[in-house]
Amino acid sequence: MPEQFHRPVRRPTAAFDNLVGAADPAEKSRIAHATASALLERARKDVTGETTERLIAFASEHGIDEIAELWSHAPARSLPGALWRLYLLQIAIRSDAATTALLYERGRVELQSADSLIAGAPTPASPEELAELVDTILRGVFQGDFAVALERAAAYCRVQASGATHTADDYEPTEPGRASELTRRALRLSGYADDLSASAAAWRRGALT
């Protein structure tokens, strides 16, 4: 999987700059939080599930440029920040499903915790099954228990991080560059796990905005 978890992000269009006020970080933050809240509310009110399925498919069909414009600079432990990280996980598995599945399985074997059970992937999980897992987690965000969905995503990240760390150790003697890439990936995933867990706790307190 590429080092970054998404396609290259285009620069904001003129229309978007005019909408959010490119020179006003406070306004961008307000828009990020408002759109995340409105999107979540709309999906949860749609009992047919059609809105949720469109939201799940959006990044795969259109990339995440538009989402990035809104949420990528939001605080990690906020509603838009949490949604942004979930979309990054979705893009990650779809960008390089084989590598993601290998790292997940390595982490599942090495990690002495209940995280693989919490995440809910089959044992072992195929690339297709991991892609479906991430989509299922997103469905939980938009239709189910939001905090539980974030906790599942955090557990998924911890398993992936463990796999990346141990695989980096394997590469270190012969391919130090690859080992460094995997180490950075593990650190990033560990950070995602911490942020998603904290966001889940904040949601339960009614403090995630």
Side-chain angles (χ1 to χ4, degrees), residues 114-134:
D115 282 316
S116 62
L117 296 176
I118 295 170
T123 304
S126 68
E128 294 76 18
E129 287 170 329
L130 278 186
E132 179 56 33
L133 171 66
V134 174

Side-chain angles (χ1 to χ4, degrees), residues 95-111:
S95 297
D96 189 351
T99 298
T100 304
L102 287 171
L103 295 180
Y104 187 90
E105 178 61 15
R106 179 68 182 275
R108 185 191 67 80
V109 171
E110 299 283 357
L111 192 60

Side-chain angles (χ1 to χ4, degrees), residues 136-152:
T136 297
I137 290 172
L138 277 170
R139 287 188 185 93
V141 164
F142 295 127
Q143 290 186 308
D145 188 315
F146 188 86
V148 169
L150 294 187
E151 288 169 344
R152 290 183 68 186

Side-chain angles (χ1 to χ4, degrees), residues 41-125:
E41 182 179 3
R42 178 178 176 182
R44 288 177 170 273
K45 284 184 175 179
D46 181 2
V47 296
T48 69
E50 292 179 1
T51 299
T52 292
E53 293 308 312
R54 287 200 300 271
L55 291 170
I56 291 171
F58 182 88
S60 297
E61 295 175 359
H62 304 289
I64 56 174
D65 293 8
E66 290 81 2
I67 299 171
E69 310 288 14
L70 293 173
W71 298 340
S72 63
H73 299 295
R77 300 181 182 189
S78 68
L79 180 58
L83 292 175
W84 170 239
R85 279 152 184 75
L86 292 173
Y87 272 110
L88 289 181
L89 294 178
Q90 186 195 47
I91 289 295
I93 179 65
R94 295 190 183 283
S95 297
D96 189 351
T99 298
T100 304
L102 287 171
L103 295 180
Y104 187 90
E105 178 61 15
R106 179 68 182 275
R108 185 191 67 80
V109 171
E110 299 283 357
L111 192 60
Q112 301 299 310
S113 75
D115 282 316
S116 62
L117 296 176
I118 295 170
T123 304

